[in-house]
Amino acid sequence: MRCHRGSWIGGCALLFITWNAILVLLLRVKVLEKDAIGAGGDDEAALLQVVRVAEMLEAELEAQNKILAQIRSMRPRAKKKADPTAPDWVVPVLVMACDRVTVRRCLDKLLLYRPSAERFPIVVSHDCGHADTAEVIRSYGKNVTYMAQPDLGDVKAPPEHKKFQGYYKIARHYHWALKQVFAKYSAVIIVEDDLEVAPDFFEYFSATLPLLRSDPGLWCVSAWNDNGRDGAVDPAASALLYRTDFFPGLGWMLLRELWEELEPRWPASFWDDWMRRPEQRRGRQCLRPEISRTLTFGRKGVSLGQFYDKYLRFIKLNSEFVPFTQLDLTYLKPDAYDQTFTETVYAAPVVTLEELQRGALEGAGPFRLKYSSKESFRMLAKNLGVMDDFKSGVPRTGYKGVVALFFRGRRVYLAPPPGWTGYDPTWN
């Protein structure tokens, strides 16, 4: 249709030019005829006739120019391509640093895999005033932007939280750093200084940014799978993504609109658990991958290695580049996802833990394990080798109470009974 319209417009323009040329030729002939008559008669009358013809010619040309302008305005215009360097498409990576000189490992991988310095500027926000870490960061020169959190004093905290001073400083640092980046950008990807990224880290966030912007039911995109240890994920499903009610963190993207919502009541400490509370989450989800696009290598920290030796050091980092921007991700839209996910989970046959452990099942699954209480969930999770804790009643990676995992080569859903009605915040 567009091609036919363009051909028609081109034909009109050609016809216009041809007619205009004929018109000018005829008018010139008239002028010459009048000149010839004037040569044998009254010179003044001939001159008046020439002026009259010239005025006719000028008026006709003006009318024809208006027609040409209308024809040109009908010409189909090429659609403007999205400018990857436009403000809405520039997404900085905010690296939160403190006293780890091993931040070099984080920065080296970010710079290695970054497809565009213009689209993904790297901003390192440095807290703690650690001189050796500052020296490492500055050694990258113009490849990164360095900024230092100015307030290095203790944060006022209740006496019973004296031992948690580190968590108060982290919350203060996040608040300060996010205010700086959102003063300029509309979205940001946050990584800590002890995270290594996968080869398709930037590709993953490029593809999911439009989903985050268009879906009010999403409030973040995370590169992390809390239960993503080797053996608990499907190695053949590196392109698989999920919606989750649990806020994962550890390499995550948010929009300025969310920051403007959260910033006025940003907590003094334990910011990540605060994010997981119902009054912040408000029924929204994050996207997360089957196989993590980040890996933590930092056992040292304010958590003193909590969960690191048991879970985190076994997380599988994706090594296969997935061209997410070329894939159809509409299956993640809420209506389609909810229906397909629920049907898949509750159509799966119910099995027992013993049957799974003995390998007495036929086929690759999926299979369903039922839990009906906090205690039964924890018992099953421990035996399956996944994290068994809750935050405000939500299990890690949970969606509508369901935790999807891989166990001995089979897809398993750890699920509540059908008709699930919501999380119980007392499950902590």
Side-chain angles (χ1 to χ4, degrees):
M1 180 67 184
R2 183 178 298 171
C3 180
H4 291 162
R5 185 184 179 200
S7 300
W8 181 81
I9 292 169
C12 288
L14 181 61
L15 182 61
F16 164 80
I17 293 168
T18 305
W19 166 249
N20 221 29
I22 294 170
L23 181 64
V24 170
L25 183 60
L26 289 173
L27 289 173
R28 286 190 65 186
V29 168
K30 286 185 178 182
V31 170
L32 290 173
E33 288 175 352
K34 296 296 181 182
D35 284 347
I37 294 170
D42 183 40
D43 290 342
E44 185 177 349
L47 181 60
L48 288 173
Q49 186 66 22
V50 170
V51 170
R52 209 177 295 117
V53 172
E55 288 174 348
M56 289 172 55
L57 177 60
E58 185 179 355
E60 187 64 28
L61 287 175
E62 185 177 349
Q64 296 299 320
N65 282 333
K66 287 180 180 179
I67 295 171
L68 181 59
Q70 290 176 342
I71 293 173
R72 284 173 175 166
S73 69
M74 296 172 66
R75 184 179 298 159
R77 295 177 182 176
K79 290 185 178 180
K80 289 185 178 179
K81 294 182 179 179
D83 181 1
T85 62
D88 282 350
W89 285 97
V90 175
V91 183
V93 178
L94 176 62
V95 180
M96 305 296 289
C98 181
D99 60 354
R100 292 187 179 103
V101 294
T102 51
V103 66
R104 184 181 297 280
R105 178 174 169 182
C106 171
L107 293 175
D108 284 349
K109 286 300 175 71
L110 285 171
L111 290 169
L112 176 64
Y113 298 134
R114 181 174 65 171
S116 166
E118 291 74 25
R119 188 175 178 197
F120 296 105
I122 296 173
V123 179
V124 185
S125 182
H126 185 210
D127 199 8
C128 310
H130 192 251
D132 290 345
T133 301
E135 184 179 350
V136 169
I137 299 167
R138 287 196 174 102
S139 72
Y140 286 85
K142 294 181 179 180
N143 289 313
V144 306
T145 298
Y146 175 84
M147 61 183 189
Q149 198 280 117
D151 186 359
L152 302 180
D154 284 346
V155 181
K156 186 177 180 180
E160 64 271 20
H161 278 193
K162 185 177 180 181
K163 63 179 179 179
F164 299 129
Q165 181 64 210
Y167 290 101
Y168 280 78
K169 290 183 176 180
I170 289 173
R172 177 179 65 188
H173 185 199
Y174 267 79
H175 183 263
W176 180 85
L178 287 169
K179 281 189 71 173
Q180 310 311 306
V181 294
F182 278 124
K184 183 177 181 181
Y185 300 104
S186 62
V188 64
I189 302 166
I190 304 171
V191 300
E192 287 81 13
D193 56 359
D194 61 344
L195 290 182
E196 179 180 333
V197 302
D200 57 357
F201 175 86
F202 292 98
E203 175 75 0
Y204 170 67
F205 283 111
S206 294
T208 52
L209 177 60
L211 293 173
L212 181 61
R213 284 198 165 124
S214 63
D215 184 351
L218 291 176
W219 71 327
C220 90
V221 176
S222 174
W224 180 257
N225 177 357
D226 276 290
N227 291 322
R229 65 174 180 82
D230 203 1
V233 294
D234 183 353
S238 58
L240 181 59
L241 307 180
Y242 298 83
R243 296 177 79 101
T244 177
D245 297 318
F246 191 86
F247 171 71
L250 293 176
W252 59 290
M253 177 169 61
L254 76 159
L255 303 180
R256 180 191 285 144
E257 291 83 356
L258 177 62
W259 174 244
E260 290 172 346
E261 173 192 324
L262 300 177
E263 191 271 336
R265 47 198 173 86
W266 189 254
S269 64
F270 305 105
W271 70 268
D272 48 351
D273 285 343
W274 176 84
M275 290 274 291
R276 293 164 181 147
R277 293 177 186 171
E279 54 268 33
Q280 273 70 249
R281 189 171 69 82
R282 292 168 49 196
R284 294 171 291 192
Q285 294 94 39
C286 295
L287 298 180
R288 61 98 176 169
E290 168 79 1
I291 302 177
S292 288
R293 265 61 187 186
T294 52
L295 173 71
T296 178
F297 54 84
R299 188 179 186 279
K300 171 193 170 186
V302 294
S303 63
L304 302 177
Q306 183 187 26
F307 298 129
Y308 183 82
D309 290 329
K310 192 174 181 180
Y311 297 106
L312 302 184
R313 70 189 183 98
F314 299 110
I315 295 293
K316 176 181 174 63
L317 180 66
N318 184 62
S319 58
E320 174 190 351
F321 186 93
V322 176
F324 283 110
T325 56
Q326 300 174 32
L327 302 182
D328 182 2
L329 300 182
T330 55
Y331 72 92
L332 293 165
K333 291 185 176 181
D335 292 342
Y337 188 86
D338 286 357
Q339 181 177 351
T340 302
F341 186 80
T342 302
E343 290 176 354
T344 301
V345 170
Y346 290 99
V350 176
V351 298
T352 66
L353 177 63
E354 184 183 9
E355 287 173 325
L356 273 177
Q357 290 176 326
R358 284 192 295 109
L361 301 169
E362 293 184 3
F367 299 105
R368 177 162 49 105
L369 277 175
K370 291 195 302 183
Y371 73 89
S372 56
S373 66
K374 176 174 65 175
E375 291 72 25
S376 63
F377 176 89
R378 284 185 165 163
M379 182 275 292
L380 291 169
K382 284 180 179 178
N383 280 278
L384 294 170
V386 296
M387 298 185 79
D388 64 344
D389 62 328
F390 296 85
K391 299 291 183 180
S392 296
V394 185
R396 293 180 187 267
T397 75
Y399 184 70
K400 298 190 179 299
V402 179
V403 171
L405 62 129
F406 219 57
F407 184 78
R408 297 182 181 176
R410 292 182 169 92
R411 173 63 65 196
V412 176
Y413 296 111
L414 186 52
W420 176 86
T421 57
Y423 296 105
D424 183 346
T426 66
W427 288 21
N428 275 314

